[in-house]
Amino acid sequence: AGALGRPRMSLPPASLDTVAEAAGLSRHWTDVASRAQRVADDTLLAVLDAMDLPAATPAQCSDSLQRLASLDSAPALLTVQAGATLTLSLPAGGCRWEREDGQETGGLHDPDGHLRAPVLPGYWRLHAQGRSWQVAVAPRHCFGVADALDDADARTWGTSLQVYSARGDGDGGIGDTQGVTHWLQRTAARGGQALALSPVHATIEGMRHFSPYSPSDRRFLDPLQASPVQLFGDAARQVLASAPELELELARLQAMDLVDWTRARPAKWAWIDRLRMALPALSGELHDDYLRFAAEAPDTLRDFAAFAGRDTPEGDALQLFGQWLARRCWRHCQQQAHAQGMRIGLIADLAVGFDPQGAEAAAWPQAVLRGLELGAPPDAFNAKGQAWGIGGYSPAGLRATGFAPFIALLRAVMQDRGGVRIANILRLQRLWVLPQGAGAG
């Protein structure tokens, strides 16, 4: 109680337990030694407070339960398998299904409110009786290796690669897409169909430490792992050669045994900025492509660029250029993988969470867990447990937003990829959270 700064509560356990259960919190768990454990009242109250579900008094418990019930009674997103039956409280009549790509189809619901979902998977808007619902129509199974290889009995193999270990020309020692292409070639030459990458999400600039699993925003890419030489060829080298000190610095960093992030990141950004300034003279085709990219940039990308560039003189212009560079380089990698006969190609790695001070947290304030951080319980690997210092999404917040943050995240991380690995995928059902600053214990 003292560690959390909260006085002891004389709350009837059933009331607190009821709110916790409705919120999806498991009070009872079994540790690695098969011992039964029980979360203390103070910790449970702190977690519920962070989820904006106070439960310190009977009145608060009642109010929080009502709010949770309202989320379940009117969900922002319904789900159904393709061709299966969806049940709504409606009188018999006609309805209209409208897919997000503009396709439409009609339907009927019987007096019990039963209607058949479209056979085509996707996100649909169902219109009936003057009302409408957002419906995710899911395929019967997840797209997998057999689908990618078009062979129901197919088995294949691939390799995994930490991108920061795949060094390329002038990368400053932090690895880049040019280095990745060498591993694509080696894997494809031996019959491999996939290359699984470490996370390449956008990071927070100015940090003294770096981890691919503590990104600023998982919807966007780290431009510093894109290879200018891969896209611009010798023209990129010429731009770098016009700044001898910068060229020497990148060469020194590339020759080091370990990655010096604090020196490598600003050096690589300096090269990218020089490319941005020289772009009109480097390639008319690439310049036109960048202008189209910038003109068609969605608000989400513009907001990210403004957030990421708020503390730099070049601002969002450099961040926007960096995202264009990264997307084009990774697309080139995937195209090269297919050209060499790899049916899957690149497999993305979706990190478990994000920096609470980063762009992704700022983009979805209504859906982010506040005052909580992700971690892991004590186990044979770490007897004291783990506090990772990263944030995640609130289950209630995701339901209230129709899972929009998660949908946007998956779409972004799957772009120009043949597969995706979801780090700590168990978190989709079981997520270990800690009151922020309370420690792993």
Side-chain angles (χ1 to χ4, degrees):
L4 293 173
R6 177 187 296 279
R8 290 284 181 184
M9 299 292 178
S10 57
L11 186 68
S15 298
L16 177 57
D17 286 353
T18 302
V19 177
E21 183 178 359
L25 296 176
S26 298
R27 161 162 258 189
H28 300 278
W29 58 285
T30 305
D31 67 17
V32 69
S34 299
R35 293 184 298 253
Q37 301 286 351
R38 181 178 183 275
V39 178
D41 285 1
D42 294 328
T43 301
L44 205 58
L45 286 164
V47 173
L48 287 168
D49 274 350
M51 296 175 67
D52 197 23
L53 294 169
T57 67
Q60 287 182 345
C61 288
S62 177
D63 180 65
S64 293
L65 286 172
Q66 289 179 4
R67 292 169 56 201
L68 287 168
S70 67
L71 279 177
D72 293 331
S73 63
L77 178 70
L78 303 175
T79 59
V80 63
Q81 280 196 335
T85 300
L86 184 67
T87 302
L88 296 171
S89 299
L90 290 173
C95 63
R96 179 170 60 89
W97 292 89
E98 181 182 6
R99 199 168 183 260
E100 62 180 346
D101 61 2
Q103 295 188 52
E104 292 191 12
T105 185
L108 293 172
H109 46 89
D110 63 23
D112 294 324
H114 302 312
L115 69 157
R116 190 161 302 279
V119 296
L120 182 63
Y123 293 96
W124 294 78
R125 174 67 64 175
L126 171 63
H127 304 275
Q129 305 291 327
R131 298 172 61 187
S132 66
W133 295 263
Q134 184 74 17
V135 184
V137 179
R140 289 286 177 174
H141 67 271
C142 180
F143 184 90
V145 172
D147 300 286
L149 300 183
D150 196 23
D151 183 347
D153 298 320
R155 291 179 63 84
T156 190
W157 64 273
T159 53
S160 61
L161 175 70
Q162 301 297 322
V163 175
Y164 50 81
S165 70
R167 296 187 171 183
D169 191 5
D171 72 341
I174 62 176
D176 64 15
T177 53
Q178 186 187 48
V180 170
T181 60
H182 299 322
W183 285 97
L184 283 170
Q185 293 165 359
R186 297 175 73 176
T187 303
R190 290 160 177 79
Q193 296 289 345
L195 182 68
L197 306 173
S198 54
V200 292
H201 307 309
T203 60
I204 292 183
E205 298 304 325
M207 300 291 287
R208 295 191 60 82
H209 63 85
F210 175 82
S211 167
Y213 287 96
S214 301
S216 173
D217 199 320
R218 297 170 295 174
R219 300 171 300 167
F220 301 102
L221 298 165
D222 183 2
L224 303 189
Q225 290 182 317
S227 168
V229 173
Q230 185 180 34
L231 195 62
F232 292 99
D234 287 338
R237 295 187 180 96
Q238 292 169 7
V239 169
L240 182 58
S242 67
E245 291 186 7
L246 177 59
E247 184 179 31
L248 182 59
E249 172 73 348
L250 286 169
R252 287 197 198 101
L253 291 164
Q254 188 173 347
M256 295 174 64
D257 291 334
L258 301 179
V259 182
D260 188 339
W261 294 106
T262 57
R263 288 171 55 193
R265 294 190 67 83
K268 185 68 177 288
W269 269 121
W271 186 15
I272 292 174
D273 194 30
R274 286 179 173 272
L275 288 167
R276 177 179 69 92
M277 301 298 290
L279 180 60
L282 293 180
S283 167
E285 182 180 351
L286 289 175
H287 183 230
D288 291 343
D289 184 68
Y290 170 66
L291 292 179
R292 285 192 298 270
F293 176 86
E296 298 169 0
D299 290 341
T300 51
L301 175 53
R302 294 189 183 280
D303 290 344
F304 166 77
F307 184 97
R310 66 195 187 283
D311 296 327
T312 59
E314 302 82 5
D316 53 358
L318 178 56
Q319 293 293 331
L320 196 62
F321 178 80
Q323 289 301 309
W324 170 78
L325 176 67
R327 286 195 191 182
R328 294 300 178 264
C329 286
W330 285 115
R331 179 176 298 173
H332 179 80
C333 286
Q334 183 67 352
Q335 290 171 344
Q336 186 177 19
H338 289 321
Q340 293 173 352
M342 299 177 76
R343 299 293 295 273
I344 298 173
L346 299 177
I347 296 178
D349 193 331
L350 176 57
V352 64
F354 45 81
D355 192 302
Q357 306 303 316
E360 190 174 344
W364 300 102
Q366 71 276 41
V368 171
L369 285 170
R370 297 292 180 184
L372 298 174
E373 62 180 292
L374 310 188
D379 56 22
F381 175 72
N382 194 321
K384 295 183 178 179
Q386 300 175 62
W388 295 335
I390 55 175
Y393 288 115
S394 158
L398 286 175
R399 294 207 304 275
T401 57
F403 292 86
F406 189 61
I407 294 169
L409 176 61
L410 290 180
R411 284 180 162 169
V413 81
M414 289 178 180
Q415 188 173 21
D416 297 323
R417 300 292 190 270
V420 59
R421 169 192 178 265
I422 301 181
N424 297 59
I425 194 169
L426 190 64
R427 78 179 191 278
L428 298 182
Q429 293 293 334
R430 294 172 62 85
L431 186 68
W432 187 269
V433 296
L434 313 161
Q436 204 164 36

